[in-house]
């Protein structure tokens, strides 16, 4: 019915079909080793029949050798694929290499035979052996346990068996052909049968392998689906799938339980039926967003089947087929925790405000008597001529100054912790900075016989920043150096570490030849109230706040602080700060002149001017009266804000010194009422108060005051401030 050429073409076509089918399956099988081996085998089989089909245009020995050799290699890989599919030990891969080696060796050796019959016989033996090996593998009792694949494996095994049987007949009839015409005719008839058998085998193998791969893929898909279903069912969150109308078509047990329903009861419900009525507009808005393909997250109040409710977070994502995947989480406890955290935050803020108010009140209560001490000390020293008494008064002044510095440090720490410690932004010169430092520490350095070296030449001549806080930080370092150094020197140096436009990162170092600090103590030096020597027998005093304040100031200026030290070899304390360079140098600022000279200047320029003193503390009244009368000023006294308003209504004053906290009416309210009086809009009012927070200063200025003097009052600053505003008042023509 078919000639040999047609059958060969059919066999070639079927081989190509098998090769492409298994290759396609291999690309979609995610690296299945069995399918990979089948693909190699099918591909080599197709090449083998292609070469066999070209035997008329190529030397007979070449086409036969290559066709048989590649065909044997292909069948070896098909056999290997069967082994892998059945899960047989892969350690026996050597048998594949051995089979290939034997097949190639036999076929190459057959080249030395003078005729094609012997060469075909050798190829037939190899192919027959491999087909029968595959048939034995697939028809063994082990295949019975392969479940749904059993029938297809047996079919492939039968195909191997029939092909191997046909090749065996060829092996028998080939050598018998020379014995007579009958045997020769039988051998020639067998060749098309063998080719047709191989074509049918390829077709059967194509169908069988595709079926096996599809079956395995379905089982894997089913296993994955079961695994993911198990994960979904075990999830603590509710997972829902809804159709285009929003009705649930699937839900896990956790989601149904969260809503108070059985799993099957949820199917057909709509999410809009499960939220509170006031939540519907927001849910519709979220639905419009995820309709555009975006995942949406929203929090709603959900209703359970029994009528109770809970806070939930719903995440929805539209799928490509129009369905919507939803993830629901019960956030009731999270909401409660948020509420508790908010309440704790409010409580902490209230506690912080209480602490700030307490510190402010304590500052006021401490500064008020301290003002009396400082003022009386100044008056005693001014009026005393006894040298021994002056020495004792100087000791009182030193002690009160030390107490005031401690109070100021505590205030600075409280301001820093409450975020109320702010920095100024003003221009200053290096000479101005050095002068301020030298005036504050030079006397103590000389008193201990130490050498002080200050070298700031590496910095720009003029800078912009907070000179006062910068001086405070450096004086803290220098004061510590003086305290802990008995012999030698103290050095203050500076260098520019980095430049960014007009900004410079400056590092200041204070080195000494003092006692040094143990390494384990360095880490806690910059903590508030910490000292290197915390024992009850410590030799050196101090509150332990100076370094903590310097560290906080450095961080406020964008830098950091640290120290290097070794016991017995001195210490180096450093901090960095971002400042701005400026080409225009401001005028140098000098400290106010000494008390008696400033008092004389005030008396000379403003003698007889009338001042209203508003003060409720009797001792501070005496101090202020003595200071004002000593400067040649006239003054009257009001003991509260109400009395001050009444007196200003009927009397013209050149200046008012106003306390803040007083009975009946405080200084802020009194100032506001005085400003409302006709003709008193420009009357100078200076706050003289023990409240030293920056907000106190702002409150005074906002109420209409012109200036602010902190208690304890420094007589020099008092005289300078009073003189300034009396002169301003005279120039402006105020009364």
């Amino acid at each position: 019915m078919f000639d040999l050429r047609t059958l060969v073409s059919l066999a070639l076509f079927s081989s190509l079909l098998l090769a492409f089918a298994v290759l396609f399956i291999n690309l979609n099988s995610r690296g299945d080793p069995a399918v990979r081996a089948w693909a190699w085998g099918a591909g080599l089989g197709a090449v083998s029949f292609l070469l066999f089909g070209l035997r008329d245009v190529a030397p007979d020995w070449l086409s036969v050798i290559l066709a048989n050799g590649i065909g044997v290699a292909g069948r070896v890989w098909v056999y290997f694929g069967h082994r892998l599919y059945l899960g047989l030990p892969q350690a026996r891969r050597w048998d594949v290499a051995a089979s290939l080696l034997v097949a190639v060796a036999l076929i190459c050796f057959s080249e030395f035979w003078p005729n094609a019959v012997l060469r075909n016989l050798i190829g037939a033996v190899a192919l027959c052996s491999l087909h029968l090996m595959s048939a034995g593998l697939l028809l063994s009792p082990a295949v019975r346990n392969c479940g749904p694949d059993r029938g297809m494996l047996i079919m492939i095994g039968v195909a191997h068996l029939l092909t191997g049987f046909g090749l065996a007949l060829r092996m028998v009839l080939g050598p018998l052909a020379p014995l007579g015409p009958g045997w020769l005719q039988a051998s020639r008839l067998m060749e098309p049968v063998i080719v047709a058998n191989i074509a049918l085998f390829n077709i059967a193998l194509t169908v069988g392998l595709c079926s096996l791969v599809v079956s395995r893929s379905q089982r894997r898909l089913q296993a994955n689906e079961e695994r993911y279903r198990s994960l979904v069912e075990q999830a603590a969150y509710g997972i829902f799938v809804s159709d285009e109308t929003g009705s649930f078509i699937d839900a896990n047990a956790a989601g149904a339980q969260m809503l108070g329903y059985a799993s099957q009861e949820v199917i057909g419900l709509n999410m809009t039926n499960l939220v509170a009525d006031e939540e519907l507009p927001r849910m519709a808005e979220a639905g419009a967003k995820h309709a555009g393909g975006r995942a949406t997250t929203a929090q709603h109040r959900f209703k359970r089947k029994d009528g109770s409710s809970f806070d939930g977070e719903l995440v929805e994502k539209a799928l490509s087929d129009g369905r919507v995947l939803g993830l629901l989480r019960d956030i009731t406890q999270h909401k409660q925790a948020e509420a508790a955290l908010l309440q704790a935050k409010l409580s902490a803020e209230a506690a912080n405000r209480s602490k700030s108010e307490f510190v402010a009140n304590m500052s006021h209560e401490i500064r008020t008597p301290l003002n009396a001490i400082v003022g009386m000390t100044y008056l005693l020293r001014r009026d005393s001529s006894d040298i021994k008494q002056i020495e004792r008064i100087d000791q009182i002044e030193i002690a009160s100054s030390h107490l005031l510095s401690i109070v100021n440090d505590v205030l600075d720490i409280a301001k820093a912790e409450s975020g109320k410690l702010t920095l100024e932004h003003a221009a200053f010169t290096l000479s101005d900075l050095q002068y301020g430092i030298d005036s504050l520490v030079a006397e103590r350095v000389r008193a201990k016989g130490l050498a002080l070296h200050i070298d700031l030449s590496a910095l720009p001549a003029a800078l912009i920043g907070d000179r006062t806080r910068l001086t405070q930080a450096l004086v803290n370092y220098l004061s510590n150096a003086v305290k802990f150094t008995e012999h030698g020197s103290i050095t203050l140096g500076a260098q520019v570490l980095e430049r960014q436009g007009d900004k410079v990162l400056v590092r200041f170092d204070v080195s000494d030849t003092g006692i040094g600090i143990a390494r384990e103590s360095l880490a806690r030096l910059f903590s508030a109230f910490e000292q290197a020597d915390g024992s009850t027998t410590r030799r050196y005093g101090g509150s332990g706040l100076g370094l903590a304040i310097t560290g906080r100031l450095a961080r406020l200026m964008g830098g950091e602080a640290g120290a290097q030290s070794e016991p017995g070899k001195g210490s180096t304390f450093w901090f960095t700060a971002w400042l701005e360079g400026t080409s225009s140098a401001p005028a140098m600022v000098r400290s106010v002149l000494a008390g008696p000279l400033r008092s004389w200047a005030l008396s000379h320029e403003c003698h007889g001017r009338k001042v209203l003193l508003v003060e409720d503390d009797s001792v501070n009244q005496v101090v202020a009266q003595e200071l004002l009368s000593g400067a040649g000023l006239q003054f009257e006294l009001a003991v509260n804000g109400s009395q001050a308003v009444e007196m200003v209504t009927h009397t013209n004053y050149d200046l008012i010194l106003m306390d803040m906290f007083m009975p009946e009416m405080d200084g802020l309210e009194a100032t506001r009422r005085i400003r409302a009086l006709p003709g008193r809009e420009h009357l100078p009012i200076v706050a003289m108060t023990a409240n030293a927070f920056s907000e106190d200063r702002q409150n005074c200025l906002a109420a209409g005051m012109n200036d602010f003097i902190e208690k304890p009052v420094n007589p020099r600053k008092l005289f300078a401030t009073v003189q300034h505003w009396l002169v301003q008042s005279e120039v402006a023509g105020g009364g």
Side-chain angles (χ1 to χ4, degrees):
M1 181 176 179
F2 298 104
D3 57 12
L4 181 59
R5 184 179 298 277
T6 303
L7 292 173
V8 170
S9 299
L10 179 62
L12 176 60
F13 175 76
S14 63
S15 296
L16 291 173
L17 177 66
L18 174 61
F20 284 119
V22 179
L23 179 62
F24 177 77
I25 295 171
N26 181 44
L27 293 175
N28 294 276
S29 63
R30 297 182 181 179
D32 190 321
V35 178
R36 205 161 46 237
W38 286 335
W40 274 102
L44 292 174
V47 173
S48 170
F49 270 91
L50 178 63
L51 293 172
F52 185 73
L54 297 176
R55 70 187 187 283
D56 293 338
V57 295
D60 184 62
W61 64 270
L62 181 62
S63 62
V64 173
I65 290 175
L66 290 179
N68 285 338
I70 295 175
V72 169
R75 292 297 176 261
V76 168
W77 280 102
V78 170
Y79 169 72
F80 185 35
H82 296 334
R83 288 181 55 83
L84 291 174
Y85 189 84
L86 294 175
L88 297 178
Q90 297 185 25
R92 293 184 58 190
R93 290 186 179 181
W94 59 266
D95 60 357
V96 176
S99 300
L100 284 172
L101 183 62
V102 171
V104 172
L106 288 174
I107 295 170
C108 290
F109 185 69
S110 70
E111 178 184 350
F112 299 102
W113 266 271
N115 57 66
V117 174
L118 292 177
R119 290 195 293 269
N120 285 331
L121 179 61
I122 294 174
V125 170
L127 289 170
C128 177
S129 301
L130 288 168
H131 277 291
L132 293 177
M133 288 170 60
S134 296
L137 195 65
L138 297 177
L139 297 176
S140 66
V143 178
R144 297 173 184 173
N145 300 323
C146 290
D149 295 340
R150 175 185 176 189
M152 195 57 62
L153 290 172
I154 292 175
M155 185 198 78
I156 297 174
V158 170
H160 275 295
L161 182 62
L162 292 176
T163 305
F165 180 71
L167 290 170
L169 286 177
R170 182 182 182 186
M171 291 163 47
V172 173
L173 293 177
L176 296 177
L179 297 180
W183 293 106
L184 180 60
Q185 183 67 22
S187 178
R188 288 177 177 175
L189 290 174
M190 194 63 198
E191 185 171 357
V193 173
I194 293 298
V195 174
N197 190 18
I198 291 176
L200 293 174
F201 169 78
N202 286 336
I203 294 173
L205 190 61
T206 300
V207 174
L209 294 183
C210 290
S211 176
L212 290 176
V213 172
V214 170
S215 176
R216 173 171 285 192
S217 298
Q218 288 178 341
R219 289 200 302 275
R220 286 178 177 173
L221 183 62
Q222 183 178 0
N224 287 338
E225 184 177 353
E226 291 176 354
R227 182 168 63 255
Y228 289 125
R229 168 59 67 178
S230 176
L231 291 174
V232 167
E233 289 299 328
Q234 294 176 9
Y237 298 160
I239 301 176
F240 303 90
V241 179
S242 57
D243 58 18
E244 295 85 346
T245 65
S247 298
F248 295 144
I249 58 177
D250 198 4
N252 68 342
Q257 184 178 6
M258 197 179 299
L259 295 169
Y261 291 88
S263 297
Q264 292 302 317
E265 291 179 325
V266 177
I267 307 302
L269 294 178
N270 194 296
M271 187 65 78
T272 57
N273 304 131
L274 301 173
V275 297
D277 295 339
E278 63 271 14
E279 300 284 342
L280 290 176
R282 289 201 305 117
M283 178 161 282
E285 181 181 350
K289 289 181 180 179
H290 72 64
R294 294 178 295 170
T296 62
T297 302
Q299 295 181 1
H300 302 287
R301 191 74 180 168
F302 290 87
K303 298 181 295 186
R304 295 189 180 93
K305 182 180 179 181
D306 60 5
S308 60
S309 60
F310 67 95
D311 291 310
E313 182 180 69
L314 179 64
V315 181
E316 291 184 301
K317 176 70 168 65
L319 304 179
S320 57
D321 58 0
R323 296 178 301 165
V324 176
L325 176 65
L327 179 67
L328 179 61
R329 181 167 66 102
D330 187 342
I331 58 171
T332 302
Q333 293 184 350
H334 178 71
K335 285 284 190 179
Q336 293 173 348
E338 278 187 347
L341 186 62
L342 178 60
Q343 183 59 44
K345 177 176 178 292
L346 295 175
S347 299
E349 290 175 348
N352 192 52
R353 286 193 299 270
S354 298
K355 182 186 73 173
S356 298
E357 292 174 1
F358 171 77
V359 172
N361 292 334
M362 288 303 298
S363 168
H364 181 272
E365 294 301 320
I366 294 174
R367 284 173 179 273
T368 298
L370 192 57
N371 181 65
I373 296 173
V374 172
M376 287 297 184
T377 302
Y378 174 82
L379 295 175
L380 286 173
R381 198 181 193 288
R382 184 193 66 181
D383 300 334
S384 179
S385 58
D386 185 273
I387 297 178
K388 190 171 184 178
Q389 189 177 25
I390 291 175
E391 290 178 353
R392 291 173 178 173
I393 293 173
D394 287 342
Q395 292 299 319
I396 296 174
E397 185 177 8
I398 292 173
S400 60
S401 298
H402 179 63
L403 178 59
L404 179 59
S405 68
I406 293 175
V407 173
N408 289 333
D409 285 346
V410 172
L411 277 177
D412 282 339
I413 285 292
K415 292 176 185 177
E417 289 181 349
S418 61
K420 297 176 180 178
L421 186 61
T422 57
L423 299 178
E424 293 182 355
H425 192 72
F428 62 92
T429 63
L430 284 183
S431 55
D432 190 11
L433 177 66
Q434 184 168 341
Y435 179 85
I437 294 170
D438 188 71
S439 64
L440 291 171
V441 299
E443 184 61 34
R444 282 178 283 172
V445 171
R446 286 191 290 269
K448 295 191 71 171
L450 303 174
L452 175 63
H453 306 288
I454 300 179
D455 183 7
L456 305 178
S457 59
L459 304 183
L463 295 166
I464 297 177
D466 192 326
R467 181 183 66 86
T468 301
R469 292 301 185 180
L470 201 60
T471 302
Q472 180 184 5
L474 292 172
V475 169
N476 283 340
Y477 277 174
L478 290 166
S479 298
N480 267 8
V482 173
K483 184 190 302 183
F484 295 105
T485 303
E486 298 298 332
H487 307 284
S489 64
I490 297 171
T491 302
L492 167 60
Q495 57 182 312
V496 175
L497 300 180
E498 186 179 345
R499 294 180 182 271
Q500 292 183 3
D502 294 336
K503 292 185 176 182
V504 289
L505 179 62
V506 179
R507 171 172 168 141
F508 295 93
D509 298 271
V510 175
S511 302
D512 62 58
T513 57
I515 60 174
I517 303 169
R519 183 182 299 272
E520 59 271 14
S521 300
L522 288 175
R524 54 188 176 86
L525 282 181
F526 290 88
S527 300
F529 305 103
E530 288 283 353
Q531 293 178 318
D533 179 14
S535 66
T536 57
T537 60
R538 60 190 176 96
R539 176 181 177 184
Y540 305 96
S543 62
L545 292 175
L547 295 181
I549 293 171
T550 299
R552 292 178 185 272
L553 290 175
R555 288 191 290 274
L556 276 176
M557 291 185 243
E560 53 187 10
Q564 296 92 36
S565 184
E566 188 174 342
K569 296 185 178 181
S571 306
T572 297
F573 283 81
W574 58 268
F575 74 88
T576 57
W578 281 99
L579 303 171
E580 291 185 28
T582 177
S583 57
S584 58
M588 183 179 294
V589 178
R590 292 290 187 236
S591 299
V592 180
L593 298 178
L597 180 59
R598 175 60 63 184
S599 175
W600 174 86
L602 175 60
S603 177
H604 177 74
E605 294 185 8
C606 306
H607 183 79
R609 304 292 293 276
K610 185 177 291 186
V611 176
L612 175 62
L613 173 65
V614 187
E615 172 66 64
D616 65 318
D617 186 86
S618 58
V619 179
N620 286 329
Q621 291 172 0
V622 174
V623 172
Q625 290 173 12
E626 289 287 340
L627 292 174
L628 294 174
S629 61
L633 300 175
Q634 298 182 28
F635 66 88
E636 293 182 359
L637 176 66
V639 297
N640 57 54
S642 298
Q643 187 177 356
V645 174
E646 180 67 22
M647 294 174 68
V648 172
T649 304
H650 300 96
T651 306
N652 292 328
Y653 295 98
D654 297 304
L655 176 74
I656 299 176
L657 293 175
M658 180 78 73
D659 191 16
M660 278 185 67
F661 284 98
M662 295 177 292
E664 296 188 24
M665 182 184 295
D666 61 28
L668 298 177
E669 180 61 26
T671 299
R672 285 190 284 267
R673 296 194 181 188
I674 291 172
R675 288 292 181 226
L677 296 175
R680 304 297 187 250
E681 298 87 354
H682 304 292
L683 173 62
I685 303 176
V686 177
M688 193 166 64
T689 175
N691 288 60
F693 280 104
S694 59
E695 59 263 32
D696 296 318
R697 180 187 297 271
Q698 295 300 324
N699 291 337
C700 289
L701 298 178
M705 297 185 185
N706 300 93
D707 211 335
F708 187 96
I709 300 176
E710 296 177 359
K711 292 179 181 178
V713 174
N714 185 324
R716 304 167 188 171
K717 183 176 181 180
L718 173 65
F719 294 145
T721 304
V722 170
Q723 178 185 356
H724 170 78
W725 288 108
L726 286 176
V727 172
Q728 291 291 324
S729 174
E730 185 175 8
V731 171

